[in-house]
Structure formats: structure tokens, C-alpha cells
């Protein structure tokens, strides 16, 4: 198996063309897919991470995420629960397909190595 | 509306021009050993000019070192420079090229030894009109060989509101002094009539004149030192060396890009305002397609905002790319325009990247400062899987905000200013192996200084109550947290009234994402506190020392403001709060070393609630000693809880897709959810290989001498 480290928490198995969790080796999804589809997802209230500093009853700009401006969408490895990525998205906005690697080029590079 | 008499094609010439025959021949004269020695010498020359510029200037931006100087080829390409503010060096190149194209043969102007040109109009190669560039031609024996330039930001431009970047501006005619390229000096002497014109037009004439002179001093040093090199090594050596610097930049950039994984890297972000009192979500999508040794950047999905000070021209974003590129992609290499050669750019038409010529764009630079964090994220994801993995870091948190104020100074003279500590007090993104740097500068300039409080209190009728405490709980959390930033409390003292604006920031949500599971830092917001009890608190010895104590102790008439807010009058004893953004985090919070969490608690960087509930550390709040075994167990439980409360993506997505933000935040958005994606794209490429006639390009005829003066007759 040829395993290439791609991000802090993601590897690609170039032989089997699979995204893997770097920490536990869990197989997520095909390497030509959006790896987020192989994760489990949780919506987190941003006030848990950035509770208001100014009084929210007096201003919407309270040094946190204003109501309506987004929630944290957290992507975890289904095997070990590590947070692979998160996005602060307006509700309903599609998650970003952030990594679309040229798998053929990656395989050729791995073979050369 | 676009005027057909403006030269928009010149704005596409940010890449180095192809070498001239003269440059090709001169390259053969350059011995490699000598080249290395003199490349270093020219860099040192630029440092000398930069430091002189910084010491002579009085604008808070120049005093803090947010400035740039550079030496350019005859055709206007950056050979070597010191930055300072990286984007200045790129847009100065466009101003020089405009001057070559339009003044070289223009009998009423011409280009002569000792000339001093000035530009600050974005449509002529500037970025925004507060960024002002002075540039001088370099002649040897009557032949134009090179150019030198010095650029920095003025905090006052005579616009409709003080501070140089008026948040309420709706068109370019609201933005104050805007100059197309103009000769403001000749025979090495500034012209008194044109200096009077500048002084007459703005609120702080003293600052304008002193800063123009500081630019002249920087350019004069560059010119004098270049003459010394010519005397020692000859003209051909200087011409050939400048070309080699650019060519080597190109080679080095391509080599680094080729070592990274091919593919498409994307980032999506949401700005939260289009100017003062125009708040809501504005989408931006960035895509970097890397193949071999080249990369193509696309910017799309965004609306064009009518009548707001928010839009930009494409070359402004191209120049902003320098701030990422020189800081994070080619950090170890000397600055030249050569690195730009492998890159190409495309922008969606009719988006905020494609401003109308009538638009206000002075805060378009703040927009570029937000969008660059998305470019940063996309490239860092590319870097991680490359040999440059050990330089990966989360983005700067986006642009900074600042509170600009104007009125009469402590000496009774008109002024416009701000505390440069606020924009330069930003925390950098977390690194892959450690926390981000605290108060590290800002996205445009990583070497800008956090000026001492005296810079404010000695010059202006303002007291800084606190401004040197890091913002606890401000940084993005993660395996490594973002760098900490400043917050400040200021009070008007010793003057009846000042005008103030808050400009450039984001308050509804953070702009820059964390990296690989790290959280972003907090967004910004200001506050005015009128009729307050600060004097009583001072008497009681209960002066607030950070933002939390200010909120708790300061009583009065609180007015909370977005960090992009139009003009307010503030009176004697009124207070305001300013905030700078902290850096985004890197990696999963559950992987943060508990030792670092305890260190954060000891240094007042973190509250117990986050140590306990987010970092999941088991520890004694009195002793700050943690239990390693219990912490490991608690974190294991939390990872299991995450899996238990989360949903498989394909089960989660249909319900999520049915949701929609409230209409009040979609006023500027366009079509939900994809905004304006799918429209025509605008490629920023020159239409011709040469921008000058061959005889001008190759120096076969000299520039026009300009209007013949009486003493020449």
C-alpha cells in the first residue's frame, strides 16, 4: 500500500485510491470524491466557541458570530472522532469541495518515489 | 461607466516584460560570483532607503514601517525591493509602466534626470488613494536605465470622512485626493506649487508634505547607491543583474510549484459588509488550479455592490497576492516580480472584483485583505503535501480595522491619524508545529511595528487607557492556537471634539478560516461610550485593563458599532473601544498539548471554561496542574461523543440543504446559495507582448525632454 500524507488528518492510499484518516487509518471514501462525504458531520452553535462579549440584547455585533451569519459544520473521522476539518457556513450553504487532487499525477509521483 | 480615454490595458501588465535585446546582451556580462555579491548589496541599499523612509515619515503607517521601496528595470519591473507592504511594490510597477507608455514621447511632460513622479489613483496603477507612490527615473550618461520607487499609506486624503478610506463613500468623487501620474518635482527639487496643491486638499497638510519628502529621501538614497554600483561595475552589469534577479525569481517559483501536488484547491468565504451600514453576507469563492509548474487562480461567486466603498479592480487583487506569495510561498527568496511569471488570474465579470470606474474603491483594499485569507487557505492545503510542509500555517485573520480620528492636535494644528497599534496588533495564524505569533503585524506587512503609546498621546488629544494587553479568548483555538491580538480603550482628552470613523473590518463573522480543524479567531466590533464614568474609575483605582473589565465597569451611553462604520463626532471625555483580530487556529482542539493549555491559563490567554469544555483538560484550577491520564480519558470520551452525536454526511446533507439564512443577511448576496457563480470570467492578461514601441522599449531613442523652460533657451 502506498500511503501519501495530504493534510494534517488525511492520507491517500494511491493503490486503492482511497481517502484515509491519518490518525486511525479509517477508510473514508474514494480519493476522487470529496473526502467530507466520508465523514460524520455535526452542526455546532458558534456561541459555544465565541460566546458574546458585548451584550447580545443590545447589539448583533457582540464579538462573536452574529445570528444568521453562520454555524460551525464540523467533519469528524467516523473511526476515531478526530476533527478533520470545520467550516463556518451560513445555514444551508453547501460544504466546500476543498481538495480535488489529480489522482493520476499523485499515483505517478508515488510510483516514482 | 468606463471612459475610453483611460488606459486599462496597462493594469494587466503585472508580470515582468520579456527581456529586451539590451538586457539579453547585458546578461552575458554578469559573472555569477559578482552577481551574488551585488544582489546582496542592492538589497542592503534598499534596507537603507527603507529605514530612512521610516525614520523621516510621520504618517503612523510609515513610522511603523508599513512601507516599501524598490529598484525597477527600465521597463518598470521590480528587480529588488524591501517590503514592508508587499503589494505596493507590485502596483508601483504598473504606475511606472503607465508613465513609460504615456510620458516617454509626450513633449509636454517627458522623462528627465531628477524628475519625481507621484501616483495614487487605482486606475493608473495605484491600489487606493491613501497608498501613495513616489518614483524617480535613474539615468546614466543621459540614458534611462532603471527606476526607483518609495510607497506607503497616508492616513488622511481629504475624503468625505477622515482617515483616507471613507466607509460612507459611494463614488470615487467622495474619496479626496486622487492623482494620476504627475511630476511633482524636477531637477531633484519638489515643486512648491504642487506641494501647495496637495496640502490645500487634505486635513493634515504637515503630514502630507513631510511624508512626500520622506519618499524623496528614500528614492534619492536608492539613486545615489545605484550610481556607486554603476561606477564600480558598469552600466551593463547593473542592467544584466536586474534581469537576472527577475529570471531567477521565475526559475525559483516554478521549481517550488512543481514540487507540490497537482490538483484543484478551493476555499469559500463570506464577507459581512459592503460599507457603512450595509451589513449582510457576501460570498466569495477562490479556486487554485495547480498543474506542473504553473497555477491559475479564479475568483467567483460574488456580487458587485452598488454605491458602496467595497469593490476593487482586478489588478488590486493581483497585487494583494504578493502579500501571500512573498510572505508564505517564497518567503526565503529575495523579492522580485519574477515570481509572478507562473501565475495567472481570472475574475468573475460584474463582481466586486470588477469595479466600475466611478466606484469608490479605497476600501476595496480591505476587501482584498479579506479575500487573500481564502487564497492562503487554498495554497497552504497544497503546501502540506509538499516538501514545504514544515512552513504550513493558518491564514492571517483577514484585514484589520482601525479607528481614524481627526481634529486639532495638542499643538493646535489640523491632523488626521489613528493608532497604528490597532491595525498592526493582529495575531498571526497558528503554525503547523506551534501557536501563531502574537501582535505580529498585519496581512499587508509582517514587519510593521506596534508603535509605543507615546506615538498617540504626545501628538494627539487622545489618551490610551489600555492597549497593551492581549485579547484573552480572542485567538482561534486548535491543536495550535492563533496568535493573540490587542484591544484598546481610548479617551478624547484636551479637545472639545474629534471626528472619527471605524473602517475596514468584519463584525458579523470571522473572515479567515482555521486550518485542518482549527477554529477561526473572533470577529471585531467597536463601541463608543459617551457620558461615561471613567474619571470616577480612575479616582477609585479601578481603571479597566482589558475589554472584559471595560464592559463590566464602564457605565455610560454605550453605542456598539460594526468595524466598518461612518463618521461620528466624539467629544471630550468620550471613550471608544478598538479591536484587532486574533489569528485562526490549526488542528483539532483535542490534540492540544495540555501543557500549552496550562501555559495559556498562566498567561491569561484563555478562560477556564474553554480549557475545561473545549480543550477537555482535567486540571486543578488553583495549581494549574493537569492530570494526564484523566485528560486522555476525557478526550477519548469526547471523541466517542462526537461520533455519537454526529450524522453520516449523506444522511445529514438533505436536511441541511433545505435550510436558508434569514433574509436580513441576504440583502447584498445575490441568488442563494451560489450567488453570482457561473457568469462570464475576466482574464487579466495583456493583449500585446510589448507595451511600448520597439524604439522606446529598446532605448533606441531618448525620452522627450518635456516643455522647454525659459532658462534652456
Amino acid at each position: 500500500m502506498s500511503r501519501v500524507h495530504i493534510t494534517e488528518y488525511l492520507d491517500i492510499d494511491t493503490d486503492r485510491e482511497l481517502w484515509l484518516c491519518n490518525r486511525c487509518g479509517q477508510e473514508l471514501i474514494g480519493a476522487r470524491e470529496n473526502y467530507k462525504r466520508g465523514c460524520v458531520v455535526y452542526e455546532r452553535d458558534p456561541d459555544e466557541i465565541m460566546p458574546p462579549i458585548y451584550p447580545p440584547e443590545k447589539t448583533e455585533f457582540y464579538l462573536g458570530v452574529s445570528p444568521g451569519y453562520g454555524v460551525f459544520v464540523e467533519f469528524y473521522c467516523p473511526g476515531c472522532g478526530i476533527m478533520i476539518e470545520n467550516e463556518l457556513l451560513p445555514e444551508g450553504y453547501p460544504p466546500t469541495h476543498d481538495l480535488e487532487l489529480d489522482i493520476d499525477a499523485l499515483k505517478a509521483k508515488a510510483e516514482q518515489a | 461607466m468606463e471612459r475610453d480615454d483611460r488606459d486599462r490595458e496597462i493594469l494587466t501588465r503585472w508580470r515582468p516584460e520579456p527581456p529586451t535585446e539590451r538586457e539579453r546582451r547585458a546578461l552575458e556580462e554578469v559573472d555569477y560570483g559578482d552577481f551574488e555579491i551585488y544582489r546582496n548589496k542592492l538589497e542592503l541599499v534598499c534596507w537603507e532607503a527603507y529605514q530612512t523612509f521610516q525614520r523621516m515619515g510621520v504618517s503612523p503607517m510609515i513610522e511603523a514601517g508599513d512601507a516599501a521601496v524598490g529598484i525597477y528595470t527600465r521597463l518598470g519591473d521590480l528587480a529588488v525591493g524591501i517590503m514592508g507592504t508587499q503589494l505596493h511594490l507590485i502596483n508601483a510597477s504598473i504606475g511606472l509602466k503607465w508613465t513609460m507608455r504615456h510620458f516617454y514621447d509626450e513633449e509636454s511632460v517627458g522623462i528627465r534626470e531628477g524628475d519625481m513622479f507621484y501616483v495614487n489613483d487605482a486606475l493608473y496603477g495605484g491600489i487606493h488613494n491613501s497608498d501613495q507612490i513616489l518614483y524617480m527615473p535613474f539615468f546614466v550618461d543621459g540614458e534611462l536605465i532603471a527606476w526607483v520607487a518609495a510607497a506607503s499609506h497616508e492616513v488622511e486624503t481629504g475624503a468625505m470622512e477622515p482617515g483616507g478610506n471613507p466607509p460612507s463613500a459611494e463614488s470615487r468623487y467622495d474619496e479626496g485626493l486622487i492623482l494620476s501620474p504627475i511630476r511633482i518635482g524636477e531637477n531633484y527639487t519638489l515643486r512648491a506649487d504642487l506641494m501647495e496643491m496637495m496640502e490645500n486638499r487634505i486635513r493634515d497638510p504637515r503630514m502630507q508634505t513631510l511624508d512626500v519628502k520622506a519618499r524623496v529621501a528614500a528614492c534619492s538614497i536608492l539613486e545615489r547607491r545605484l550610481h556607486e554600483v554603476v561606477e564600480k561595475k558598469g552600466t551593463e552589469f547593473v542592467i544584466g543583474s536586474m534581469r537576472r534577479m527577475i529570471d531567477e525569481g521565475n526559475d525559483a517559483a516554478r521549481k517550488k510549484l512543481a514540487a507540490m501536488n497537482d490538483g484543484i484547491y478551493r476555499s469559500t468565504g463570506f464577507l459581512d459588509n459592503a460599507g457603512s451600514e450595509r451589513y449582510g453576507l457576501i460570498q466569495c469563492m477562490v479556486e487554485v488550479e495547480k498543474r506542473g509548474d504553473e497555477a491559475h487562480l479564479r475568483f467567483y461567486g460574488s456580487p458587485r455592490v452598488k454605491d458602496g466603498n467595497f469593490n476593487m479592480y482586478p489588478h488590486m487583487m493581483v497585487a494583494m497576492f504578493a502579500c501571500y506569495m512573498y510572505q508564505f510561498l517564497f518567503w526565503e527568496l529575495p523579492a522580485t516580480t519574477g515570481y509572478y511569471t507562473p501565475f495567472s488570474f481570472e475574475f468573475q465579470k460584474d463582481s466586486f472584483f470588477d469595479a466600475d470606474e466611478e466606484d469608490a474603491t479605497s476600501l476595496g483594499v480591505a476587501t482584498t485583505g479579506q479575500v487573500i485569507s481564502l487564497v492562503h487557505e487554498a495554497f497552504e492545503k497544497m503546501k502540506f503535501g509538499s516538501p514545504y510542509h514544515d512552513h504550513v500555517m493558518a491564514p492571517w485573520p483577514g484585514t484589520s480595522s482601525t479607528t481614524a480620528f481627526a481634529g486639532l492636535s495638542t499643538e493646535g494644528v489640523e491632523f488626521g491619524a489613528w493608532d497604528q497599534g490597532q491595525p498592526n496588533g493582529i495575531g498571526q495564524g497558528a503554525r503547523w508545529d506551534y501557536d501563531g505569533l502574537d501582535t505580529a503585524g498585519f496581512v499587508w506587512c509582517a514587519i510593521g511595528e506596534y508603535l509605543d503609546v507615546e506615538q498617540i498621546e504626545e501628538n494627539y488629544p487622545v489618551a490610551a487607557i489600555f492597549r497593551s494587553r492581549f485579547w484573552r479568548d480572542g485567538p482561534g483555538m486548535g491543536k495550535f492556537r492563533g496568535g493573540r491580538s490587542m484591544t484598546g480603550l481610548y479617551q478624547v482628552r484636551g479637545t472639545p471634539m474629534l471626528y472619527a470613523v471605524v473602517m475596514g473590518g468584519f463584525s458579523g463573522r470571522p473572515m479567515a478560516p482555521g486550518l485542518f480543524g482549527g477554529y477561526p479567531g473572533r470577529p471585531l466590533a467597536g463601541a463608543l461610550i459617551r457620558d461615561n464614568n471613567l474619571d470616577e474609575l480612575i479616582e477609585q483605582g479601578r481603571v479597566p485593563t482589558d475589554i472584559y473589565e471595560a464592559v463590566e465597569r464602564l457605565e455610560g451611553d454605550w453605542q456598539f458599532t460594526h468595524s466598518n462604520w461612518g463618521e461620528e463626532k466624539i467629544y471630550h471625555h468620550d471613550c471608544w473601544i478598538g479591536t484587532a483580530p486574533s489569528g485562526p487556529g490549526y488542528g483539532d482542539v483535542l490534540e492540544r498539548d495540555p501543557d500549552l493549555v496550562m501555559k495559556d491559563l498562566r498567561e491569561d490567554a484563555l478562560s477556564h471554561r474553554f480549557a475545561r469544555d473545549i480543550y477537555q483538560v482535567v486540571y486543578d484550577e488553583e495549581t494549574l496542574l493537569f492530570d494526564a491520564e484523566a485528560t486522555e480519558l476525557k478526550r477519548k470520551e469526547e471523541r466517542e461523543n462526537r461520533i455519537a452525536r454526529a450524522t453520516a454526511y449523506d444522511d445529514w446533507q438533505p436536511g441541511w440543504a433545505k435550510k436558508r439564512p434569514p433574509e436580513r443577511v441576504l440583502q447584498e448576496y445575490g441568488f442563494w446559495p451560489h450567488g453570482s457563480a457561473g457568469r462570464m470570467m475576466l482574464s487579466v492578461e495583456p493583449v500585446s507582448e510589448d507595451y511600448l514601441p520597439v524604439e522606446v522599449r529598446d532605448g533606441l531613442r531618448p525620452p522627450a525632454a518635456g516643455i522647454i523652460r525659459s532658462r534652456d533657451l
Side-chain angles (χ1 to χ4, degrees):
Chain A
M1 181 173 76
S2 179
R3 198 160 152 172
V4 184
H5 198 180
I6 301 294
T7 79
E8 179 70 35
Y9 299 116
L10 289 170
D11 292 349
I12 285 180
D13 176 340
T14 51
D15 293 339
R16 295 186 295 156
E17 296 193 7
L18 282 173
W19 284 108
L20 309 177
C21 172
N22 172 270
R23 294 298 188 265
C24 72
Q26 169 80 29
E27 295 176 8
L28 298 177
I29 199 165
R32 294 174 196 267
E33 300 282 327
N34 185 351
Y35 68 85
K36 289 175 183 169
R37 290 193 56 213
C39 297
V40 292
V41 188
Y42 177 68
E43 296 169 33
R44 186 189 287 272
D45 179 351
D47 281 358
E48 291 177 30
I49 304 299
M50 303 172 193
I53 295 176
Y54 294 152
E57 65 279 9
K58 292 187 178 169
T59 175
E60 65 173 323
F61 302 124
Y62 49 62
L63 297 167
V65 179
S66 300
Y69 280 76
V71 299
F72 283 110
V73 178
E74 301 185 348
F75 301 94
Y76 307 132
C77 167
C80 66
I82 202 81
M83 179 149 56
I84 291 172
E85 192 55 277
N86 70 58
E87 287 191 85
L88 179 58
L89 294 174
E91 285 191 298
Y93 190 89
T96 308
H97 187 178
D98 54 339
L99 294 172
E100 192 176 334
L101 295 182
D102 183 334
I103 300 301
D104 296 327
L106 193 68
K107 287 172 81 163
K109 206 169 166 181
E111 280 166 21
Q112 275 180 3
Chain B
M1 186 179 79
E2 286 198 10
R3 284 168 40 168
D4 56 11
D5 55 344
R6 286 204 181 100
D7 179 1
R8 293 290 293 268
E9 198 264 346
I10 207 76
L11 303 178
T12 66
R13 303 203 76 97
W14 40 269
R15 265 203 214 101
E17 301 297 328
T20 63
E21 273 311 307
R22 177 79 180 277
E23 287 175 326
R24 286 200 180 95
R25 287 197 305 274
L27 265 175
E28 294 168 11
E29 305 275 321
V30 180
D31 169 80
Y32 193 78
D34 280 356
F35 169 71
E36 280 301 322
I37 291 167
Y38 280 89
R39 170 159 67 184
N40 279 315
K41 181 173 175 62
L42 290 175
E43 257 191 75
L44 289 173
V45 165
C46 289
W47 273 114
E48 182 189 3
Y50 169 82
Q51 289 178 352
T52 305
F53 189 11
Q54 184 182 4
R55 278 160 180 70
M56 286 186 67
V58 297
S59 160
M61 298 286 272
I62 303 178
E63 284 188 324
D66 299 304
V69 301
I71 299 172
Y72 295 76
T73 65
R74 183 176 179 282
L75 296 184
D77 293 316
L78 176 71
V80 57
I82 290 299
M83 36 191 181
T85 316
Q86 288 92 354
L87 79 171
H88 288 327
L89 291 178
I90 302 309
N91 57 301
S93 179
I94 293 175
L96 298 184
K97 291 180 183 184
W98 191 98
T99 304
M100 284 292 285
R101 182 184 257 179
H102 295 277
F103 287 168
Y104 195 94
D105 284 333
E106 173 55 53
E107 284 299 333
S108 68
V109 186
I111 298 170
R112 303 177 301 222
E113 189 164 7
D115 279 351
M116 300 167 185
F117 292 95
Y118 209 76
V119 65
N120 73 334
D121 188 338
L123 286 169
Y124 294 81
I127 286 288
H128 56 170
N129 59 324
S130 39
D131 288 345
Q132 303 184 4
I133 309 165
L134 188 139
Y135 49 107
M136 294 174 63
F138 174 71
F139 281 83
V140 177
D141 299 330
E143 186 186 6
L144 177 60
I145 300 297
W147 292 85
V148 294
S152 189
H153 184 114
E154 297 299 326
V155 300
E156 173 49 42
T157 60
M160 63 183 293
E161 293 164 329
N165 310 142
S168 305
E170 294 187 349
S171 85
R172 69 191 258 108
Y173 306 110
D174 296 329
E175 296 182 299
L177 184 76
I178 303 184
L179 299 172
S180 56
I182 181 173
R183 180 164 54 216
I184 61 165
E186 48 195 330
N187 292 328
Y188 298 100
T189 307
L190 286 168
R191 282 181 50 160
D193 54 348
L194 297 177
M195 294 309 298
E196 185 72 23
M197 177 201 71
M198 284 192 192
E199 289 191 354
N200 183 45
R201 190 63 190 80
I202 70 161
R203 294 179 179 86
D204 196 332
R206 167 183 158 274
M207 179 171 65
Q208 182 72 28
T209 294
L210 290 175
D211 289 347
V212 169
K213 288 180 177 176
R215 290 178 178 86
V216 172
C219 286
S220 298
I221 286 171
L222 295 174
E223 201 215 19
R224 191 169 71 238
R225 297 294 190 205
L226 264 179
H227 273 298
E228 290 171 6
V229 176
V230 168
E231 278 170 24
K232 203 158 188 179
K233 298 297 295 179
T235 306
E236 300 309 303
F237 179 83
V238 171
I239 292 173
S241 294
M242 286 193 293
R243 188 70 226 182
R244 177 167 276 179
M245 290 177 204
I246 291 170
D247 290 350
E248 288 199 347
N250 169 43
D251 295 344
R254 288 184 182 278
K255 192 175 171 190
K256 284 194 95 166
L257 277 176
M260 300 190 205
N261 291 329
D262 285 355
I264 298 173
Y265 301 81
R266 297 188 187 85
S267 178
T268 306
F270 300 87
L271 297 97
D272 79 329
N273 78 92
S276 182
E277 297 184 53
R278 300 185 59 179
Y279 308 129
L281 292 168
I282 297 173
Q283 177 192 232
C284 178
M285 298 159 85
V286 172
E287 185 175 284
V288 180
E289 183 169 357
K290 203 288 277 184
R291 306 278 174 205
D293 63 0
E294 296 192 342
H296 184 68
L297 284 77
R298 297 187 188 90
F299 301 79
Y300 59 103
S302 306
R304 180 171 157 255
V305 174
K306 304 281 186 205
D307 303 328
N309 192 355
F310 177 75
N311 301 315
M312 68 174 93
Y313 303 111
H315 75 280
M316 294 164 65
M317 195 65 228
V318 173
M320 186 69 213
F321 181 60
C323 295
Y324 173 74
M325 183 172 71
Y326 290 128
Q327 289 180 35
F328 301 104
L329 210 50
F330 307 128
W331 66 91
E332 79 281 42
L333 303 171
T336 92
T337 334
Y339 307 133
Y340 265 95
T341 312
F343 296 97
S344 52
F345 297 83
E346 216 175 353
F347 299 89
Q348 182 188 293
K349 282 180 82 67
D350 298 322
S351 66
F352 64 64
F353 296 102
D354 182 26
D356 187 276
E357 290 190 7
E358 302 283 298
D359 283 350
T361 56
S362 55
L363 276 174
V365 174
T367 311
T368 69
Q370 314 274 43
V371 174
I372 200 68
S373 64
L374 308 180
V375 174
H376 186 128
E377 185 196 22
F379 270 99
E380 294 303 291
K381 287 182 174 176
M382 188 191 303
K383 258 166 71 179
F384 190 96
S386 82
Y388 313 107
H389 158 272
D390 55 356
H391 289 272
V392 168
M393 64 190 292
W396 285 99
T399 184
S400 52
S401 175
T402 191
T403 307
F405 43 90
L408 289 179
S409 76
T410 44
E411 293 168 350
V413 299
E414 288 178 294
F415 80 94
W418 64 53
D419 177 4
Q420 184 60 18
Q422 193 181 345
N424 273 2
I426 294 182
Q428 212 164 27
R431 293 164 279 193
W432 76 284
D433 60 348
Y434 207 65
D435 295 341
L437 285 172
D438 300 325
T439 53
F442 68 171
V443 64
W444 290 280
C445 175
I447 62 171
E449 295 174 12
Y450 191 85
L451 294 175
D452 293 339
V453 69
E454 287 76 13
Q455 188 264 337
I456 295 296
E457 293 186 337
E458 281 187 359
N459 292 316
Y460 311 117
V462 167
I465 309 303
F466 64 78
R467 71 190 279 279
S468 298
R469 281 280 294 277
F470 292 127
W471 188 356
R472 184 176 69 246
D473 303 333
M477 293 180 283
K479 179 181 181 181
F480 298 107
R481 64 159 170 77
R484 291 174 289 176
S485 59
M486 64 81 79
T487 60
L489 175 68
Y490 305 84
Q491 187 181 39
V492 184
R493 291 182 89 97
T495 193
M497 192 267 290
L498 296 174
Y499 292 98
V501 298
V502 189
M503 64 175 80
F506 46 93
S507 296
R509 50 176 287 140
M511 180 62 203
L515 199 59
F516 303 140
Y519 289 109
R522 284 179 181 270
L524 312 174
L528 299 175
I529 310 104
R530 306 179 194 278
D531 299 323
N532 59 68
N533 64 337
L534 182 63
D535 285 356
E536 291 165 36
L537 292 174
I538 292 171
E539 279 179 22
Q540 296 164 6
R542 297 179 63 237
V543 182
T545 62
D546 68 14
I547 192 167
Y548 299 98
E549 289 180 358
V551 170
E552 183 190 321
R553 296 179 191 171
L554 260 185
E555 294 169 7
D557 178 12
W558 282 74
Q559 178 186 355
F560 299 98
T561 66
H562 188 281
S563 53
N564 215 9
W565 186 268
E567 186 174 283
E568 292 280 346
K569 292 174 184 168
I570 48 177
Y571 299 93
H572 183 58
H573 277 198
D574 284 354
C575 290
W576 77 85
I577 287 175
T579 48
S582 301
Y586 178 101
D588 187 350
V589 286
L590 297 185
E591 290 202 329
R592 185 163 179 77
D593 185 336
D595 259 335
L596 290 176
V597 179
M598 296 301 105
K599 180 170 175 283
D600 281 346
L601 290 171
R602 282 195 300 276
E603 295 179 355
D604 196 29
L606 191 71
S607 298
H608 286 292
R609 65 188 290 187
F610 296 108
R612 197 178 49 239
D613 300 340
I614 302 297
Y615 287 117
Q616 303 279 340
V617 180
V618 180
Y619 65 101
D620 184 320
E621 290 195 11
E622 293 293 318
T623 63
L624 299 185
L625 294 173
F626 68 93
D627 181 331
E629 203 173 314
T631 298
E632 195 178 327
L633 188 63
K634 192 176 178 207
R635 287 179 167 184
K636 182 171 177 290
E637 283 172 8
E638 173 58 14
R639 280 194 289 271
E640 288 166 1
N641 288 339
R642 280 175 172 179
I643 296 169
R645 66 178 176 248
T647 312
Y649 185 98
D650 286 344
D651 295 333
W652 165 82
Q653 193 274 338
W656 173 256
K658 287 179 189 156
K659 295 183 180 179
R660 181 184 167 99
E663 288 306 314
R664 67 183 163 76
V665 303
L666 296 177
Q667 298 303 307
E668 309 282 357
Y669 191 90
F671 298 104
W672 176 260
H674 292 298
S676 308
R679 294 201 187 157
M680 294 280 289
M681 299 294 280
L682 177 69
S683 179
V684 192
E685 294 292 332
V687 294
S688 59
E689 187 178 339
D690 296 332
Y691 81 101
L692 296 168
V694 175
E695 313 85 64
V696 176
R697 182 183 151 79
D698 290 346
L700 303 178
R701 66 164 186 266
I707 295 170
I708 298 170
R709 293 154 293 172
S710 58
R711 65 174 178 271
D712 297 327
L713 293 173

